[in-house]
Amino acid sequence: MKQTRKRENAMGEQSRSGDRGAFPSLSKTLLGDAILGRAPAGDLAHMLMHVVSRHIDKGEVLFREGDAADTVYLVRHGAFTLTGEGDGRVCLWRRAPSAPGGYLGQEAVLGARTYSVTAVAVEPASVIEVPTLDIRQLADAHPEIKNLFFDSYVKLASCETCEASTLAGDDRENEEAAVFPVRETVGWGVTLLVALGCWLAASGLGLEKNTGFYLAIIASAVVLWVFQLVPAFAPPLFVVIMVILLDIVPPEVAVSGFASGSFFMLLSVFGVGAVMVASGLTFRLSLMVLSLVPASSFWYSVCLFLSGLFLTPVVPSQGARMAIVSPFLVDLMGASNPSEKDVLGAHFVNSTLGGIGLMASVFLTGKPANLIVLGLFDYQTQFAFQWMNWLVAASFSGGLMLILFFGASWLVFRESRRFRIPRFIVAEQLKVLGPLSPLERTAVVSMAVLILGILLSSVHKVEIPWVALSIFTVLILFGGVGKREIRSHIDWSTLLFVGAIIAWLPVMSLTGLDTLVADYLGWLGEYMRSSLPMFIGLLCLLIVLVRLFLPEPITVILFVTALFPLADVAGVSPWVVGFIILTMAEAYLFSYQCGYFIQLKDILGFKGLEGHYDEGRIIRFNILMILGRVLAIYASLPFWRYLDII
């Protein structure tokens, strides 16, 4: 769009010129504005990364009627004619020299998709451009600001020289004919056929009725995921309700995931993350990091990766880590003004995902599945592989995966465009934020207590989920987390996904499906005894294939349940088998296979950034990293022999 290109050029000129004097003036204008000045300082600091000050020449078109309303203009000085081309009416709009700044294009804040008039400068003017998405989110969060924008638009529309205009755009949603896409038609057809085929196959094999039903239900849920026919949390909920309706297991078993420690752990860390986001602490930390590293897209991606990596040993949930790190990513992507299928956006997204998940199997507290696997070890193995010993044994694989991650990133994303945020912008944002607020201090204390509670769990003997839930409860009781934070900052769709998916394991156990899978994997035991390298290759291949259809927790439990008894017979350390399963189960090709990728897509969609990254490049990167994980496992064999693990 023409307007978008203008804004990008203006941003680029501002960044290149390094006009340190103009930028503080811009921030003072926003702080002193009659409408935006009512917003919290943290929200205005967010906005500073995206706004642009621009000079308008006489006769220049600011925006045209029917253009996408992607920008709201705060006019510092100048006059414009506002023309409704449909009926020829004209209004002369002028900002009085002594009056506060006025707005043009404010219909975008109220829901319009396109501008209702054409604005042309009749004299030199100066405006501040604010992206519609930023200002609309601000208005939605603060109804009084939205009301002020509404009053401002009503006054503009009732200009004495023209009649009132009407907002455009919302009704256009109903103009497009509903077309049922081919993908949905094929997907639903395949869903029904696969479910029927699995049920018939189960009957032909002589399986129990409930086992056949459950197999058909899971298969249909997988197809729904593969074709992305419904939101990611819907298939697990579908499985839960069908299991209850068909009386496959008692209802308390079907919904047992919602009473699990993992569910409450994720809920509680989401709550702590909500305080960090709502208080502005995550934004402040992001700015502090940006002020320390070189101003380049490469270092921004490194910061995103390290943010997730540093949280991995202390926040044992990928979803919870995503809730904490994602605001940093959103700020960077918003500031970079990404286009559709943007390579730089893909690089940022991939770095965030890698930081959260790459080393999840290397630290014992990196993800809930690690703790589950530890609990399935025999007592001697559990004692031998506590937190530090686990890390030492996994360190060689982890270090090699780190090297391969950055190598693959360079190969896939080396065409990323250059992007930098001038340091004076970051300094001005920190200045606008001012000192730590009481809520930020609360967030700091909450996170510190959570980290200490996790690290000292062996001392206080309280399970980690209940430590986190205690902190979350205290935050609610003393006002650290309110209704608005709970509604807007806790990812309920991810919680539904996790709660529903955890219950799959006990249902599989009661229906005998886990035993059936273990029987079919028995042949792997022969390779485990005769050729460990061959066994590792086959195991990695099987896990990659199974992960196309089953989520990570279920894949881990199935393979661990089947192979741990075989490992004892073959004389292979259960830790080696468990680590290989955990490492390969973390790998994925497509977003539907990864719960925290789905969570991130929901976050980016809510922020208007969905599709503003090249997901195809992320898939290519994932292919390379699957091979990289296999290479890291094979390369670790001599190291494990040195440690006398195998």
Side-chain angles (χ1 to χ4, degrees):
M1 293 294 295
K2 184 176 181 181
Q3 289 291 331
T4 303
R5 285 197 299 272
K6 280 185 176 182
R7 187 172 180 276
E8 289 173 348
N9 293 337
M11 184 65 153
E13 290 166 7
Q14 185 189 60
S15 299
R16 286 193 297 272
S17 65
D19 186 357
R20 297 173 183 265
F23 197 79
S25 171
L26 189 151
S27 63
K28 290 178 181 177
T29 301
L30 294 181
L31 286 168
D33 181 64
I35 299 180
L36 289 181
R38 297 171 178 262
D43 291 337
L44 289 180
H46 270 278
M47 199 173 285
L48 279 177
M49 192 176 290
H50 308 151
V51 301
V52 174
S53 180
R54 180 174 151 205
H55 175 76
I56 308 296
D57 295 326
K58 180 180 178 180
E60 184 177 347
V61 177
L62 188 63
F63 54 81
R64 294 186 183 277
E65 180 181 3
D67 283 351
D70 56 2
T71 305
V72 178
Y73 300 89
L74 171 57
V75 182
R76 284 172 150 176
H77 65 79
F80 295 84
T81 57
L82 307 180
T83 307
E85 295 180 359
D87 50 25
R89 287 174 289 182
V90 179
C91 173
L92 177 64
W93 183 92
R94 180 186 301 275
R95 178 188 172 249
S98 60
Y103 287 88
L104 293 177
Q106 63 267 57
E107 60 263 43
V109 184
L110 307 176
R113 292 188 173 186
T114 59
Y115 296 114
S116 58
V117 295
T118 298
V120 181
V122 297
E123 60 184 39
S126 175
V127 300
I128 295 176
E129 298 182 345
V130 185
T132 295
L133 179 63
D134 287 4
I135 206 165
R136 188 181 290 174
Q137 289 176 355
L138 181 65
D140 289 342
H142 304 281
E144 70 279 8
I145 292 179
K146 191 167 189 175
N147 291 335
L148 289 171
F149 272 111
F150 179 78
D151 293 340
S152 171
Y153 180 70
V154 169
K155 292 177 181 178
L156 178 69
S158 59
C159 177
E160 293 180 359
T161 56
C162 70
E163 297 182 15
S165 303
T166 58
L167 287 176
D170 285 346
D171 293 335
R172 296 189 179 187
E173 295 180 0
N174 300 323
E175 295 178 2
E176 299 179 1
V179 180
F180 203 62
V182 174
R183 179 175 62 86
E184 277 79 357
T185 305
V186 173
W188 284 108
V190 172
T191 301
L192 295 174
L193 290 175
V194 167
L196 180 61
C198 287
W199 184 77
L200 292 175
S203 300
L205 293 172
L207 301 178
E208 292 185 6
K209 180 183 69 173
N210 283 345
T211 305
F213 279 146
Y214 191 58
L215 183 62
I217 293 168
I218 288 183
S220 60
V222 169
V223 177
L224 292 176
W225 269 325
V226 171
F227 282 90
Q228 300 182 34
L229 299 175
V230 293
F233 65 87
L237 287 178
F238 165 75
V239 172
V240 169
I241 193 63
M242 290 303 296
V243 163
I244 293 174
L245 293 177
L246 294 175
D247 199 25
I248 295 175
V249 296
E252 57 269 22
V253 176
V255 298
S256 59
F258 295 99
S260 67
S262 297
F263 177 82
F264 283 105
M265 173 72 190
L266 190 56
L267 171 63
S268 304
V269 178
F270 273 156
V272 176
V275 178
M276 295 182 68
V277 175
S279 67
L281 180 63
T282 54
F283 183 57
R284 184 187 294 273
L285 293 174
S286 301
L287 292 178
M288 293 172 65
V289 170
L290 291 177
S291 68
L292 297 174
V293 302
S296 71
S297 54
F298 169 77
W299 282 105
Y300 298 155
S301 65
V302 170
C303 289
L304 286 168
F305 178 83
L306 293 179
S307 297
L309 179 61
F310 289 151
L311 288 171
T312 298
V314 294
V315 180
S317 164
Q318 299 100 315
R321 295 197 290 272
M322 179 61 74
I324 296 172
V325 175
S326 58
F328 187 15
L329 170 67
V330 169
D331 290 332
L332 278 177
M333 286 192 67
S336 68
N337 198 18
S339 59
E340 291 291 326
K341 296 187 177 180
D342 188 60
V343 179
L344 178 61
H347 194 184
F348 286 163
V349 168
N350 192 73
S351 296
T352 304
L353 294 170
I356 287 170
L358 182 69
M359 306 293 281
S361 62
V362 175
F363 297 98
L364 176 59
T365 50
K367 57 181 177 179
N370 296 355
L371 301 173
I372 295 173
V373 170
L374 180 71
L376 295 175
F377 288 152
D378 59 83
Y379 179 77
Q380 183 178 358
T381 306
Q382 285 187 35
F383 180 78
F385 289 96
Q386 288 300 310
W387 200 93
M388 185 54 68
N389 289 342
W390 184 298
L391 176 61
V392 171
S395 60
F396 189 87
S397 292
L400 187 53
M401 284 194 295
L402 273 175
I403 295 171
L404 294 173
F405 177 89
F406 284 106
S409 295
W410 180 83
L411 279 175
V412 177
F413 304 108
R414 64 183 182 276
E415 299 172 9
S416 298
R417 57 188 170 86
R418 293 185 178 182
F419 162 67
R420 60 183 293 269
I421 301 173
R423 288 188 180 277
F424 70 86
I425 294 180
V426 177
E428 187 65 24
Q429 289 176 295
L430 286 170
K431 181 180 177 182
V432 169
L433 284 178
L436 284 174
S437 66
L439 191 56
E440 284 180 290
R441 295 192 188 97
T442 300
V444 171
V445 172
S446 301
M447 182 54 68
V449 173
L450 177 61
I451 292 173
L452 286 174
I454 292 171
L455 294 178
L456 299 177
S457 59
S458 60
V459 177
H460 56 65
K461 306 299 182 182
V462 179
E463 293 185 24
I464 293 173
W466 313 128
V467 172
L469 185 60
S470 299
I471 296 170
F472 182 44
T473 303
V474 170
L475 287 172
I476 293 175
L477 290 175
F478 291 95
V481 180
K483 290 182 179 179
R484 192 171 74 182
E485 288 77 21
I486 289 176
R487 285 196 303 265
S488 59
H489 292 295
I490 293 181
D491 190 342
W492 294 103
S493 62
T494 299
L495 282 170
L496 288 172
F497 176 89
V498 171
I501 210 80
I502 291 174
W504 284 24
L505 181 61
V507 178
M508 287 177 126
S509 179
L510 288 176
T511 57
L513 195 56
D514 57 344
T515 304
L516 180 67
V517 173
D519 291 341
Y520 275 96
L521 290 176
W523 57 272
L524 276 175
E526 296 297 325
Y527 287 101
M528 197 187 306
R529 284 190 292 270
S530 60
S531 174
L532 185 59
M534 178 66 75
F535 163 76
I536 290 174
L538 291 171
L539 177 59
C540 291
L541 177 61
L542 276 175
I543 292 174
V544 170
L545 293 175
V546 170
R547 281 285 284 115
L548 291 171
F549 306 102
L550 291 179
E552 179 208 356
I554 305 304
T555 302
V556 169
I557 295 302
L558 284 178
F559 278 94
V560 164
T561 303
L563 295 179
F564 273 9
L566 301 178
D568 289 336
V569 174
V572 177
S573 168
W575 182 88
V576 171
V577 177
F579 178 76
I580 294 172
I581 294 170
L582 290 166
T583 300
M584 293 308 301
E586 185 68 34
Y588 61 94
L589 279 175
F590 309 106
S591 60
Y592 78 87
Q593 298 175 262
C594 179
Y596 54 92
F597 195 172
I598 294 170
Q599 178 185 350
L600 179 58
K601 292 181 79 169
D602 289 342
I603 293 170
L604 293 176
F606 178 75
K607 298 294 184 180
L609 294 169
E610 185 177 5
H612 287 68
Y613 57 93
D614 188 349
E615 192 167 346
R617 287 182 184 264
I618 297 178
I619 294 174
R620 275 180 265 166
F621 175 87
N622 290 341
I623 293 173
L624 291 177
M625 278 311 298
I626 287 175
L627 298 175
R629 288 173 182 268
V630 176
L631 176 61
I633 290 170
Y634 273 111
S636 298
L637 292 178
F639 179 71
W640 291 335
R641 290 193 182 96
Y642 172 76
L643 295 178
D644 201 25
I645 297 176
I646 57 174

